[in-house]
Amino acid sequence: MYTGFPPPANAFAEIDAMSNAHSLLFDRAGLDPKRLEPIIGRALAGADDGELFLEYRRSESLVLDDGRIRDSSYDATLGFGLRRVVGEAVAYGHGTDVTEAGIGRAADTVRALNGGSAAIPAGHPVCLAPLYSAGDPLNAWSFEDKVRLLEGIDADLRGRDSRVRQVSASLLGSWQVMAILGADGRLVTDIRPLVRLNVSVVLEQDGRMETGGHGIGGRFAYDLLSDPKAVALEALRQADVNLRAIPAPAGEMTVVLGPGWPGVMLHEAVGHGLEGDFNRKGTSAFSGRIGQRVAAEGVTVIDDGTLPDRRGSITVDDEGTASNRTVLIENGILVGYLQDKLNARLTGTASTGNGRRQSFAHPPLPRMTNTFMLAGSHDPGEILSSVKRGLYAVNFGGGQVDITSGKFVFSASEAYLIEDGRLGPPVKGATLIGNGPDALQRVRMIGNDLALDPGIGTCGKDGQGVPVGVGQPTLLMDGLTVGGTAVQA
């Protein structure tokens, strides 16, 4: 049976971020930052911007299916990316030959992009207070301890419910050390831990099989995952709910969104449309609308990369800009976009610390960190009781969004009918269909129960994936289109 976390095999010691980054990046590769300055100067001479991005990353994944380790992987990479920016054009070279010669070859390549006007000042280090521990979560436990945790989850679930037919549990962890030598001469470092636990379970009853899943994570060590037993029980609960679900109705109706993870709809349907590149190019439904009302009164949307230990948080972004708390929509009025350095420069604004990249092999793009709507004044029970008939969506699965039009389609992985102000039976197959800016205008009540997701989000854009967070309070939205498998009475 599950007995909790095993004790850590090694201490999860705090490490000085700057000195450790130097030892892992510069010393390991035999590099001297001072000797790199003329190479970077050659690469960026006359450019408008650019940087050398150095990265060392260790990552692992353990997947247990039905009591056995099905997959176990470990990877360690050391690489660099060198970017030269002229106007809105970007030349990017990257590689794993992290030597003066290797970086020098990339410098000669990116210089093929001519033009620009920037001068490169003398370099100096920049120290920022970290938002998370610098320790390496992969070394804090032995391999055997990690396997025991996953095996304990499997055994516990099977012992609790005879309907369990399949259990899958996984641990994923990474430790990223990065340094940026920028066109402005700054040297910036960051050390980022990241862990995640996922559990899914399949139940069978009367010939019907349904799945439930849950996960938690953040920028800390495995032993700081809040409660792995609770993760397993939540996955079991969701599978049980799906076994009892009836076909979802279809039609236009009032929809109540639960707190926390349903904020993924806000992230996709609204957040991407507020990223600087889409708005500079005029391809977003929010382009050119600063100062205009884009949401109902009371709706305030924040992107905040400064929350300690959160999955989407970053002490600095991947261009070396300090992370920030950025107000995007304030009381329904659009007040800002998310900017990296390139798009900020071209639009005459300042970077908001949202230049992010998947790895050294990718150039930075304006991306979200932790994006959420602030709480309102209504009690969640008051919100539910106000609905004569509608849908209560607690969790979401996949979704699709068109940035230009704002149109979205999201599937609800857990939802219930609302009947006469009370929760009715769970439903299966519900999808929410709408338009991001229009949906924000349909918010009628905002709960006082703001919650962030449990630390499981990964955002994709232009082939790059980065960890993010989402969140919101309970929301009531009028007149959303619900796609389902049954006709609403």
Side-chain angles (χ1 to χ4, degrees):
M1 298 294 287
Y2 178 86
T3 57
F5 275 108
N10 303 298
F12 188 73
E14 293 294 327
I15 305 169
D16 179 80
M18 179 66 80
S19 64
N20 199 51
H22 271 272
S23 64
L24 282 166
L25 293 172
F26 297 108
D27 297 348
R28 176 184 290 269
L31 296 173
D32 181 348
K34 291 296 182 183
R35 291 175 60 88
L36 288 176
E37 285 181 13
I39 299 175
I40 299 170
R42 184 170 81 247
L44 304 184
D48 291 317
D49 200 5
E51 74 283 315
L52 174 68
F53 181 88
L54 295 170
E55 177 189 27
Y56 174 62
R57 187 194 300 260
R58 301 172 63 235
S59 57
E60 69 176 3
S61 171
L62 284 80
V63 180
L64 180 139
D65 275 333
D66 291 330
R68 296 183 178 182
I69 295 295
R70 174 177 59 82
D71 180 69
S72 176
S73 64
Y74 173 86
D75 183 57
T77 57
L78 176 65
F80 74 91
L82 182 60
R83 182 178 67 146
R84 176 182 172 88
V85 181
V86 176
E88 61 181 282
V90 175
Y92 196 72
H94 62 87
T96 56
D97 181 11
V98 188
T99 63
E100 290 182 21
I103 297 171
R105 286 191 292 271
D108 293 336
T109 299
V110 301
R111 274 187 57 80
L113 179 63
N114 295 318
S117 59
I120 310 301
H124 60 280
V126 175
C127 297
L128 298 169
L131 299 170
Y132 26 76
S133 170
D136 182 354
L138 278 65
N139 283 340
W141 280 6
S142 69
F143 179 81
E144 291 76 18
D145 286 337
K146 297 166 189 174
V147 171
R148 274 199 297 273
L149 170 66
L150 299 179
E151 290 177 339
I153 288 173
D154 179 277
D156 183 66
L157 285 172
R158 294 180 185 278
R160 287 180 178 275
D161 198 320
S162 62
R163 300 173 298 169
V164 172
R165 294 295 176 265
Q166 184 178 0
V167 175
S168 178
S170 62
L171 276 175
L172 300 93
S174 68
W175 189 57
Q176 179 194 26
V177 184
M178 50 157 277
I180 299 170
L181 288 166
D184 58 3
R186 300 194 309 160
L187 170 61
V188 183
T189 65
D190 195 15
I191 298 179
R192 302 170 178 169
L194 189 67
V195 298
R196 178 172 167 177
L197 168 67
N198 297 320
V199 179
S200 67
V201 58
V202 177
L203 296 182
E204 182 180 17
Q205 181 175 318
D206 300 328
R208 178 177 175 179
M209 300 181 72
E210 295 289 350
T211 301
H214 191 54
I216 53 174
R219 294 198 181 279
F220 38 68
Y222 289 126
D223 57 335
L224 293 180
L225 290 168
S226 57
D227 189 349
K229 183 176 180 179
V231 175
L233 293 179
E234 175 61 15
L236 184 65
R237 185 196 67 80
Q238 289 189 22
D240 179 71
V241 168
N242 288 332
L243 275 175
R244 297 182 283 110
I246 63 176
E252 186 176 292
M253 64 183 73
T254 299
V255 174
V256 176
L257 302 180
W261 178 245
V264 69
M265 192 174 85
L266 178 73
H267 168 103
E268 294 288 356
V270 178
H272 276 298
L274 298 179
E275 291 168 339
D277 49 354
F278 297 127
N279 288 281
R280 176 177 65 82
K281 298 172 184 177
T283 57
S284 167
F286 294 97
S287 295
R289 300 190 64 186
I290 293 291
Q292 297 181 18
R293 177 166 296 282
V294 297
E297 188 173 343
V299 172
T300 296
V301 178
I302 304 288
D303 184 87
D304 192 347
T306 70
L307 304 176
D309 301 328
R310 296 296 307 180
R311 180 175 172 85
S313 295
I314 45 176
T315 301
V316 296
D317 73 2
D318 296 323
E319 299 179 305
T321 305
S323 187
N324 204 354
R325 177 182 173 92
T326 304
V327 180
L328 300 170
I329 299 172
E330 186 171 20
N331 198 26
I333 305 299
L334 180 63
V335 296
Y337 300 126
L338 298 175
Q339 301 286 13
D340 62 347
K341 290 167 65 177
L342 184 154
N343 289 281
R345 175 175 52 81
L346 293 174
T347 56
T349 58
S351 171
T352 55
N354 289 87
R356 306 188 64 189
R357 66 182 96 200
Q358 178 175 310
S359 74
F360 68 87
H362 303 84
L365 301 167
R367 308 290 299 272
M368 286 172 277
T369 57
N370 303 297
T371 310
F372 51 91
M373 184 185 299
L374 294 186
S377 60
H378 293 281
D379 181 83
E382 174 194 1
I383 294 176
L384 282 173
S385 65
S386 71
V387 180
K388 177 69 175 178
R389 180 171 175 82
L391 186 78
Y392 179 49
V394 182
N395 279 302
F396 284 103
Q400 294 181 331
V401 178
D402 183 283
I403 300 299
T404 302
S405 67
K407 293 180 179 179
F408 63 80
V409 178
F410 282 92
S411 60
S413 59
E414 181 181 357
Y416 302 82
L417 290 179
I418 305 174
E419 299 171 329
D420 295 321
R422 297 181 180 181
L423 285 185
V427 296
K428 186 175 178 62
T431 58
L432 300 186
I433 304 167
N435 175 283
D438 176 70
L440 285 182
Q441 300 276 11
R442 294 177 179 272
V443 173
R444 296 294 178 262
M445 301 177 76
I446 304 174
N448 58 11
D449 57 342
L450 168 64
L452 300 179
D453 77 282
I456 58 176
T458 297
C459 174
K461 178 180 177 179
D462 288 358
Q464 298 190 42
V466 296
V468 296
V470 301
Q472 67 173 45
T474 298
L475 295 179
L476 186 149
M477 307 172 79
D478 273 341
L480 285 188
T481 299
V482 176
T485 55
V487 178
Q488 184 182 16

